[in-house]
Amino acid sequence: MGKIWDGFRSLVNSVCGIFLIVVIAALDIQVLCRSFLGFSTTWSEEVAMMCFTGLIFCYLAQAEKEEAHLQLEIIYQIWPRTKFWLMVIGKVICCMYCAFVIYSEYLLIPPISKLTTAATHIPIVAIHALIVLGSAMWIIQNLISISALIKERRAERA
């Protein structure tokens, strides 16, 4: 199961890399058109915004895996015995937040199912589907991280 999860996360991370390239290209095109050609594109800001949002939400699980998110290390230094519980509680709160986001998207998707963006006519549901995917992946990675913390704690006590 771990290899499947790592493979899926790797695939999503590759898609995030493509999103980043698209964001940079769309914004560069917009700047070049405005600065040198005297007009602005109608599509570049929409595409950049959608790809950036997808990039952020889909990369959350990788950031969790790499522990690349913000932490208050000073609290762990002041009260080292609370580190385990603070980390577990933080991950549980993140799971609850993601569950709230998924539920909110569940309520939001039916009313917006037929809406598209103004310039590119991309279905708005697509960006909301990426938000749901990223939130679900973050929940899964948080649960894996909690399990690893518990195993690590048990190994320390043994």
Side-chain angles (χ1 to χ4, degrees), residues 81-102:
R81 293 183 354 190
T82 63
K83 181 177 181 178
F84 170 78
W85 293 107
L86 290 174
M87 290 181 76
V88 169
I89 289 168
K91 291 179 187 316
V92 169
I93 290 171
C94 285
C95 288
M96 290 169 41
Y97 169 74
C98 288
F100 175 75
V101 168
I102 291 171

Side-chain angles (χ1 to χ4, degrees), residues 74-135:
I74 193 164
I75 293 175
Y76 303 149
Q77 291 173 356
I78 295 171
W79 299 295
R81 293 183 354 190
T82 63
K83 181 177 181 178
F84 170 78
W85 293 107
L86 290 174
M87 290 181 76
V88 169
I89 289 168
K91 291 179 187 316
V92 169
I93 290 171
C94 285
C95 288
M96 290 169 41
Y97 169 74
C98 288
F100 175 75
V101 168
I102 291 171
Y103 178 71
S104 298
E105 291 295 325
Y106 168 77
L107 295 177
L108 182 64
I109 286 177
I112 64 164
S113 62
K114 296 183 182 180
L115 296 177
T116 61
T117 59
T120 57
H121 302 292
I122 297 171
I124 292 178
V125 169
I127 192 66
H128 291 278
L130 289 174
I131 292 170
V132 170
L133 173 67
S135 297

Side-chain angles (χ1 to χ4, degrees), residues 26-42 44-45:
L27 294 178
D28 284 348
I29 290 169
Q30 179 74 324
V31 168
L32 289 173
C33 287
R34 281 188 183 178
S35 299
F36 299 110
L37 302 177
F39 70 93
S40 63
T41 60
T42 58
S44 62
E45 291 176 18

